[in-house]
Amino acid sequence: MKNLTKTENRSKTHNEKGASAPQGKVRIGSGGEPHQVAGGTHPVLTTNQGVSISDNQNSLKANASGPTLLEDFVLREKITHFDHERIPERIVHARGSAAHGYFELTESLVHATTAGILTETGERTPVFTRFSTVSGGAGSVDTPRDVRGFAVKFYTRQGNWDLVGINIPVFFIQDAIKFPDLIHALKMEPDRGYPQSATAHATFWDFISLMPESMSAVMWIMSDRTLPRSLRMMEGFGVHSYRLVNAAGKSTFVKFHWLPKLGLQSTVWDETMKLAGADPDFHRRDLFEAIREGSFPEWEFAVQLFTQEQADKFPFDHLDPTKLIPEELVPLKVIGRMVLDRWPDNFFAETEQVAYCPANVVPGIDFSNDPLLQGRLFSYLDTQLSRLGTPNFNQIPINAPKCPFANLQRDGKMQSMQPRGRVGYEPNSLSEDSPRETRSGGFRSVAATETGEKGRIRAESFADHYSQARQFYRSQTGYEQAHIVSALVFELSKVDHLHVREAMVAHLRHIEEDLAKRVAHGLALESLPDAPPTAMPVQDLAPSPALQIIGKMKNTLEGRTIGILIADGSDGVVISKVRKAAVEEGARVMIVATKIGGAKLADSSILKADGQLAGTPSIVFDAIVLILSDDAAKALTRDTAAIDFVHDAYGHLKAIGVAQGGRRLLLAANVEPDAGVVELGDLGRFISAAKTRQWTREAKIRCLV
Ligand code: HDE
């Protein structure tokens, strides 16, 4: 009787506040989840049927120490829903982070296409962009050596356009039929279930060593392109050639590019490996924090436009996805920009449920005959059916177009639309307002002529597997070439089969003899294996400096973070000067101390820390500063976290600024002063050193292979 009164009272409150169940639902996703604070108006907690819940802490029992009753529908509904909270993760690109933003066209391509998104300048089109790693599971780390997915959904006025790209311009294989094998070789090995998120294992290199067409992509993945410093500092590529189609039905080929406003930047390999432990969410956190702080990630959007006649003169086939078109051959034309300015409200509802599909194009954009693209046009819709479980996944808000849409598809699991009327077919004569096809504005495929014999064939023009790999390697700076050598040695040293290591080195001989020799030396091979036969002679294509990273780094502190190590007795005036100078140049500054509560400065004031030394290694910063009293520095020489802080920053080629007793710590960490180790008296010199890596230091600290 007593309990009943209590329930009645609560129901009364519910009615008085007028917080009905549907209203409570509406608030979900708008950032207004209920929380236990005094005051405020909280929606009443209800079941999914809208029944208000009197007690969310205790299940229904037969008596105080008795069994739980099956009739407890509140408990059963809650647990059942929980049991089904997960959906299958993506077979590839499972780990990702995404953000909302907009695309703005700055230059019209009206001569080439009818697509409004590419002709209406100044208009802001909403986008949802998801970045991902390819190989690891959803719970893996952000920073393995891996290609990054770069998928953009444009919610245009003419329908959704998905540009589902990656951060390198070439792919491993030439035909979709090989994709399951590539991914099976790449993913953790089926008997042992490891390694997670790594190419450095036998099955990957076994497959690759038998796949000469992969050599160009191999050069890219062994370069620092696959170790991005931040998702904001990566280029993006549509990879395949697409077509633009104008009002006269004439088509022009196009390659799509994203160019980061912050320039390209990568980490160094040792740093990358340590990052996986120091902060598995390094990229996700960086993206979230940048958006939260208003430093909105931004990319220029560029196209390479070319005709069939131009393509006929290229020394490669542009329909082969293992090939890129050098900028020197077809220049990039910047036509717009993308800004990401809003973090999703809910990771699952948006980032997990978003369903990209390269087949989502709008009138004025069409496909090329790239055989990899052709396979992709099938695969993505198919995978969503098992991942999201119903053909109605397009009704989920993140996937639905933002322009009007109507058709006569119906029913199916999770149908959330309620069409009216008796007509569910087209054509019909019974309805005046059912959707009809439109001859004038509707999507039309390019009227391309196809001739020739049907068969499981590959074009002769796809037979050159080494020339662009050579071009990429030769286009790199000496530092970058050394990184490729080290990466190959690292990866192949994890392969426990000599014949696979040898087969890879044999391929490298076609790319560059010196590269093969250096890798063979790093693997301690007794002799250079014979190079395999090639289908055609390897060409010496002109080097393309645009393929470098170091050449494309921007001389800026924007997007970079400086960590200042302080302790009791640090000089607050110097700290303020460094902070001011760094922030003025666009950097973030974080204070690190042995305790999160901070340190008592020389003037007795307390400066709070942003990170505790043991949990905030220098790996998460782009440059470090040591502002320590003599006594504090002396004490820290006995702390391995402090020694590693300095030693790693030095080893990872970062600028180190020093004041007061900081030098003592440098000595303890075996740091040899160089141009990147700067006394803070010369603050300007430190700031300019912090804008880059100290590449010349590398030869002193690593036995480059
Ligand atoms: Fe994908 N790929 N892919 N892929 N791909 C998927 O679709 C596939 C390829 C790319 O953030 C899957 O929804 C085939 C190239 C990105 O949700 C799947 C082939 C490029 C993403 C699929 C390729 C990509 C995917 C898995 C060879 C760069 C993540 C889950 C024919 C141009 C999108 C899903 C996101 C995801 C199939 C090759 C980019 C299984 C069959 C080349 C960025 O459908």
Side-chain angles (χ1 to χ4, degrees):
M1 227 13 226
K2 223 175 169 186
N3 277 346
L4 190 65
T5 318
K6 208 168 146 194
T7 312
E8 276 175 342
N9 280 342
R10 295 209 179 175
S11 302
K12 201 169 159 208
T13 316
H14 166 34
N15 291 335
E16 276 167 5
K17 283 187 180 163
S20 64
Q23 276 170 347
K25 281 277 182 200
V26 169
R27 291 196 61 191
I28 294 171
S30 59
E33 72 269 44
H35 48 103
Q36 309 287 334
V37 289
T41 326
H42 303 295
V44 165
L45 188 70
T46 73
T47 66
N48 280 327
Q49 304 304 320
V51 175
S52 56
I53 294 172
S54 61
D55 185 340
N56 193 34
Q57 311 304 320
N58 301 293
S59 49
L60 186 66
K61 322 253 174 26
N63 57 57
S65 50
T68 303
L69 297 179
L70 191 58
E71 79 176 63
D72 187 351
F73 63 89
V74 176
L75 170 73
R76 276 189 290 113
E77 182 197 79
K78 187 174 176 184
I79 297 283
T80 305
H81 196 278
F82 170 77
D83 290 346
H84 299 270
E85 272 177 10
R86 285 291 162 275
I87 58 175
E89 66 177 35
R90 292 164 173 83
I91 164 66
V92 281
H93 297 270
R95 182 166 179 85
S97 312
H100 293 272
Y102 60 87
F103 171 75
E104 192 170 34
L105 191 73
T106 48
E107 195 166 328
S108 170
L109 294 183
V110 72
H111 61 285
T113 177
T114 55
I117 177 95
L118 300 178
T119 57
E120 285 162 29
T121 51
E123 180 162 327
R124 288 190 171 182
T125 302
V127 298
F128 188 65
T129 300
R130 183 174 182 271
F131 305 102
S132 47
T133 55
V134 180
S135 61
S140 59
V141 300
D142 275 353
T143 51
R145 177 182 291 283
D146 200 354
V147 171
R148 297 303 188 284
F150 194 128
V152 182
K153 193 180 278 293
F154 301 80
Y155 302 91
T156 89
R157 286 180 192 278
Q158 294 167 302
N160 287 353
W161 173 35
D162 292 356
L163 184 55
V164 195
I166 45 178
N167 75 329
I168 65 173
V170 292
F171 205 66
F172 296 86
I173 45 171
Q174 296 176 321
D175 192 299
I177 202 165
K178 301 181 182 207
F179 190 66
D181 296 301
L182 168 70
I183 298 305
H184 291 170
L186 164 66
K187 285 251 172 188
M188 53 193 192
E189 298 185 13
D191 57 349
R192 53 210 70 188
Y194 66 82
Q196 175 69 264
S197 204
T199 46
H201 61 118
T203 58
F204 177 75
W205 287 105
D206 180 31
F207 179 81
I208 291 293
S209 69
L210 300 168
M211 204 57 55
E213 71 204 55
S214 297
M215 291 310 139
S216 192
V218 163
M219 287 296 101
W220 282 86
I221 62 163
M222 293 295 103
S223 80
D224 296 345
R225 291 266 178 167
T226 46
L227 314 176
R229 152 67 180 85
S230 156
L231 300 171
R232 303 180 279 153
M233 299 170 191
M234 311 189 302
E235 291 182 339
F237 302 89
V239 176
H240 317 281
S241 295
Y242 287 83
R243 288 173 187 267
L244 297 181
V245 191
N246 70 12
K250 183 172 171 288
S251 96
T252 311
F253 286 113
V254 59
K255 293 257 190 197
F256 296 110
H257 298 247
W258 295 107
L259 309 170
K261 190 180 160 205
L262 296 176
L264 273 178
Q265 276 185 47
S266 290
T267 52
V268 295
W269 178 232
D270 182 69
E271 180 187 19
T272 313
M273 285 192 293
K274 290 177 175 163
L275 260 176
D279 187 358
D281 309 302
F282 187 64
H283 285 154
R284 181 174 294 183
R285 189 188 309 281
D286 172 85
L287 191 65
F288 176 86
E289 289 180 351
I291 293 174
R292 189 181 57 182
E293 287 164 14
S295 308
F296 299 136
E298 186 171 333
W299 286 261
E300 285 180 328
F301 188 55
V303 289
Q304 284 177 299
L305 298 176
F306 57 100
T307 60
Q308 182 65 58
E309 292 68 40
Q310 281 174 285
D312 291 341
K313 295 190 191 118
F314 295 161
F316 51 83
D317 190 335
H318 74 102
L319 297 178
D320 170 356
T322 68
K323 304 292 187 301
L324 59 90
I325 305 182
E327 290 180 29
E328 291 76 8
L329 199 57
V330 179
L332 296 192
K333 185 184 174 69
V334 173
I335 58 160
R337 65 183 191 125
M338 173 173 73
V339 178
L340 299 181
D341 59 2
R342 186 162 67 83
W343 192 256
D345 288 323
N346 185 276
F347 186 88
F348 181 84
E350 300 170 88
T351 309
E352 196 58 15
Q353 292 199 114
V354 66
Y356 294 94
C357 176
N360 291 350
V361 289
V362 291
I365 302 177
D366 203 353
F367 315 112
S368 72
N369 283 354
D370 175 337
L372 200 67
L373 174 61
Q374 293 284 320
R376 293 181 73 203
L377 299 180
F378 161 74
S379 176
Y380 290 65
L381 179 56
D382 183 47
T383 211
Q384 310 309 350
L385 295 178
S386 75
R387 197 168 70 82
L388 295 162
T390 158
N392 293 319
F393 68 84
N394 59 308
Q395 295 174 15
I396 299 171
I398 196 68
N399 293 323
K402 295 194 193 298
C403 64
F405 62 102
N407 57 48
L408 297 153
Q409 292 165 22
R410 52 163 35 180
D411 305 349
K413 280 188 196 162
M414 296 298 177
Q415 178 57 257
S416 61
M417 315 249 253
Q418 297 190 45
R420 296 196 180 149
R422 66 194 299 187
V423 159
Y425 52 90
E426 199 272 348
N428 70 70
S429 63
L430 303 187
S431 157
E432 287 186 349
D433 61 359
S434 63
R436 301 284 157 106
E437 64 193 25
T438 159
R439 299 262 160 178
S440 55
F443 180 85
R444 275 173 195 274
S445 300
V446 167
T449 310
E450 301 294 349
T451 54
E453 278 181 16
K454 180 165 118 185
R456 296 190 176 276
I457 346 167
R458 203 169 339 169
E460 293 276 321
S461 53
F462 278 36
D464 178 3
H465 301 319
Y466 298 99
S467 303
Q468 283 210 351
R470 176 181 289 179
Q471 180 184 40
F472 179 82
Y473 184 73
R474 288 188 179 170
S475 301
Q476 304 302 304
T477 61
Y479 302 117
E480 289 165 299
Q481 288 183 341
H483 294 179
I484 293 173
V485 172
S486 309
L488 280 161
V489 171
F490 176 94
E491 297 263 321
L492 294 174
S493 297
K494 299 267 180 188
V495 174
D496 41 7
H497 300 76
L498 179 61
H499 75 274
V500 175
R501 281 181 244 148
E502 285 177 339
M504 273 314 302
V505 173
H507 286 297
L508 299 180
R509 295 190 70 179
H510 286 309
I511 299 173
E512 184 72 279
E513 186 71 4
D514 183 54
L515 167 66
K517 279 190 188 149
R518 289 167 76 179
V519 174
H521 176 68
L523 295 171
L525 291 189
E526 280 174 12
S527 59
L528 270 185
D530 290 337
T534 59
M536 57 189 293
V538 186
Q539 308 172 68
D540 283 322
L541 303 171
S544 166
L547 304 182
Q548 294 172 9
I549 298 176
I550 292 183
K552 281 178 143 178
M553 270 184 80
K554 286 209 172 144
N555 193 29
T556 177
L557 272 194
E558 270 182 61
R560 295 168 80 80
T561 309
I562 294 178
I564 305 182
L565 181 61
I566 63 159
D568 288 348
S570 292
D571 185 336
V573 179
V574 183
I575 297 172
S576 301
K577 272 192 192 160
V578 175
R579 191 200 289 268
K580 184 164 174 285
V583 170
E584 272 172 8
E585 293 270 350
R588 287 177 77 209
V589 172
M590 281 180 72
I591 302 291
V592 180
T594 48
K595 295 176 187 163
I596 191 67
K600 196 175 199 181
L601 304 184
D603 64 2
S604 294
S605 63
I606 302 284
L607 180 59
K608 289 210 173 108
D610 302 301
Q612 184 231 355
L613 178 59
T616 318
S618 62
I619 296 149
V620 301
F621 302 122
D622 297 287
I624 62 161
V625 173
L626 311 173
I627 304 176
L628 301 166
S629 70
D630 275 340
D631 286 350
K634 194 172 169 193
L636 284 175
T637 55
R638 292 193 307 275
D639 186 335
T640 52
I643 301 293
D644 287 348
F645 191 84
V646 179
H647 189 257
D648 276 340
Y650 185 68
H652 299 152
L653 317 178
K654 293 171 183 174
I656 303 177
V658 203
Q660 296 182 267
R663 289 233 157 248
R664 190 188 282 271
L665 213 49
L666 295 184
L667 280 176
N670 276 333
V671 166
E672 248 183 64
D674 62 22
V677 182
V678 186
E679 287 286 349
L680 287 175
D682 194 348
L683 192 50
R685 200 155 71 80
F686 168 72
I687 293 291
S688 70
K691 291 179 179 173
T692 182
R693 298 232 180 205
Q694 312 304 308
W695 298 113
T696 49
R697 187 188 294 162
E698 198 164 30
K700 279 197 306 187
I701 53 150
R702 261 190 276 285
C703 311
L704 297 178
V705 201

